[in-house]
Amino acid sequence: MPEYACGSNSGGLTKGYDCLQGVIIKGIGGFYYVRAENGRTYECKARGIFRKENIKPIIGDRVEISRIDEEHGSIDSIFTRINSLIRPPVANIDAIVIVAAAKNPDPDFYLTDKLLLMAEIKGITPALCVNKTDLESSEKIKEVYRHSSYPVFDVCAAENLLPDGLIEFISGKTTAFAGLSGVGKSSILNLIVDNAVETGGISEKIGRGKHTTRHVELFELKSGGYVLDTPGFSAFEPDIIDAADLCGYFPEMREYSDCCRFRGCAHIAEPGCAVKEALSEGKISPERYQSYTKMYEVLKNHKKWEV
Ligand code: GDP
Ligand code: ZN
């Protein structure tokens, strides 16, 4: 983050009083709601300069604002983004919690693995969360990810059960929640957000109201950090990477890939492949390897990603 530099671009307003840093938590109809360092939320317009330069502030942007009064301000500058997602447009995501249901719907390992790949590419720390553990145990999902090093948290939103580990994982971070529709993301987020700080103007609960237009919004946690409900996030398309680099994004596979007989081994049908040997020894799960081969084909043929 650059040094506090509001005085330089605030048109000479008194530094420290009229200038504040904050985070865009919501955007509606050309207004941006900025949660500022003083704990207040300001309704802001972006300066004309952004439009001229074709820059659009997005949710999650760290910004500097000039305060107009106790509720209004204008966005003067946007700090460099550590990362950004296109759909939905959000910036500075530290972590992603990929939610699956133990049952109803059954886990979709390919979707989970695409989200994990996206996280690895973007430098976002991933974790898995298995909901509906009242219906079925999380054993199967844990088995699939046993060698991957990703944390897996058991949740039962129906019984208000959230593990401390999950709360610790999201504390102090900006965390997106993703996964198939129906797995219980809204239920989990509502449990988490019950713990959230009231951020002026945010009172409605997270939910998938049938007739309401949903918008992306950051919810501030008491323990520090934000959670982000991401409608439509399950259909996210990862950046296109080179097929040859794919293995490097699978933590439990990359450790074997240097030991293959041939350099540039694709780990598909080559002789002396250490990855396939690890697979046969149960050190890589068949589901993860299957996702790898499917992704490899997609990348090799430059087809569009499909869920
Ligand atoms: P979303 O589409 O991922 O946001 O999922 P919702 O939070 O809307 O939940 C989908 C359905 O699953 C709703 O009918 C919830 O009541 C139900 N549900 C959520 N959590 C649990 C759970 O832990 N156990 C069971 N049995 N059902 C749950
Ligand atoms: Zn190989």
Side-chain angles (χ1 to χ4, degrees), residues 45-162:
K45 280 270 192 191
R47 292 215 161 195
I49 181 90
F50 293 124
R51 217 170 312 119
K52 256 184 255 150
E53 290 177 7
N54 212 10
I55 299 167
K56 203 172 150 40
I58 56 178
I59 312 302
D61 269 334
R62 305 279 187 270
V63 295
E64 274 181 344
I65 65 166
S66 298
R67 176 159 52 178
I68 295 167
D69 59 30
E70 288 308 299
E71 288 169 3
H72 300 90
S74 88
I75 298 177
D76 292 334
S77 57
I78 304 173
F79 288 99
T80 308
R81 294 167 183 156
I82 57 165
N83 58 32
S84 61
L85 309 179
I86 296 161
R87 197 175 60 184
V90 285
N92 302 318
I93 301 299
D94 300 309
I96 182 170
V97 172
I98 302 166
V99 184
K103 192 182 161 175
N104 197 11
D106 283 340
D108 181 336
F109 295 113
Y110 187 56
L111 170 67
T112 303
D113 291 338
K114 282 205 310 183
L115 289 167
L116 287 168
L117 174 66
M118 183 272 295
E120 294 277 351
I121 292 171
K122 299 260 181 195
I124 298 172
T125 308
L128 304 177
C129 172
V130 187
N131 190 35
K132 307 201 187 186
T133 47
D134 54 326
L135 302 179
E136 180 84 48
S137 108
S138 59
E139 256 333 284
K140 174 66 192 168
I141 296 176
K142 287 207 174 119
E143 178 66 34
V144 171
Y145 293 95
R146 175 151 304 153
H147 302 289
S148 70
S149 77
Y150 299 123
V152 184
F153 301 110
D154 280 9
V155 173
C156 185
E159 291 167 9
N160 293 355
L161 289 180
L162 282 181

Side-chain angles (χ1 to χ4, degrees), residues 59-303:
I59 312 302
D61 269 334
R62 305 279 187 270
V63 295
E64 274 181 344
I65 65 166
S66 298
R67 176 159 52 178
I68 295 167
D69 59 30
E70 288 308 299
E71 288 169 3
H72 300 90
S74 88
I75 298 177
D76 292 334
S77 57
I78 304 173
F79 288 99
T80 308
R81 294 167 183 156
I82 57 165
N83 58 32
S84 61
L85 309 179
I86 296 161
R87 197 175 60 184
V90 285
N92 302 318
I93 301 299
D94 300 309
I96 182 170
V97 172
I98 302 166
V99 184
K103 192 182 161 175
N104 197 11
D106 283 340
D108 181 336
F109 295 113
Y110 187 56
L111 170 67
T112 303
D113 291 338
K114 282 205 310 183
L115 289 167
L116 287 168
L117 174 66
M118 183 272 295
E120 294 277 351
I121 292 171
K122 299 260 181 195
I124 298 172
T125 308
L128 304 177
C129 172
V130 187
N131 190 35
K132 307 201 187 186
T133 47
D134 54 326
L135 302 179
E136 180 84 48
S137 108
S138 59
E139 256 333 284
K140 174 66 192 168
I141 296 176
K142 287 207 174 119
E143 178 66 34
V144 171
Y145 293 95
R146 175 151 304 153
H147 302 289
S148 70
S149 77
Y150 299 123
V152 184
F153 301 110
D154 280 9
V155 173
C156 185
E159 291 167 9
N160 293 355
L161 289 180
L162 282 181
D164 293 343
L166 176 61
I167 302 298
E168 270 163 38
F169 177 81
I170 64 177
S171 292
K173 301 188 180 97
T174 299
T175 307
F177 279 69
L180 275 182
S181 164
V183 293
K185 291 184 298 296
S186 309
S187 310
I188 293 167
L189 279 163
N190 276 325
L191 286 180
I192 291 171
V193 169
D194 273 346
N195 255 319
V197 179
E198 272 296 321
T199 51
I202 301 165
S203 49
E204 77 257 51
K205 282 230 163 186
I206 294 172
R208 280 176 176 44
K210 283 204 179 68
H211 306 293
T212 52
T213 314
R214 300 190 67 237
H215 53 261
V216 182
E217 179 167 352
L218 293 183
F219 292 88
E220 193 175 5
L221 300 169
K222 278 191 184 132
S223 51
Y226 294 89
V227 290
L228 167 66
D229 185 23
T230 49
F233 204 52
S234 60
F236 187 82
E237 292 173 21
D239 287 15
I240 296 301
I241 50 161
D242 209 0
D245 297 330
L246 181 63
C247 184
Y249 296 106
F250 282 67
E252 71 273 56
M253 288 175 61
R254 67 177 163 233
E255 61 178 294
Y256 300 106
S257 57
D258 284 343
C259 306
C260 298
R261 187 182 306 161
F262 298 109
R263 268 192 74 178
C265 180
H267 324 300
I268 305 284
E270 294 84 346
C273 173
V275 169
K276 291 207 79 172
E277 194 181 320
L279 172 72
S280 69
E281 290 167 357
K283 294 174 184 160
I284 294 169
S285 77
E287 289 81 2
R288 288 278 285 165
Y289 181 73
Q290 201 178 9
S291 290
Y292 169 81
T293 56
K294 207 164 157 182
M295 288 173 183
Y296 189 88
E297 282 307 306
V298 172
L299 290 173
K300 226 179 67 182
N301 300 324
H302 291 287
K303 273 191 267 169

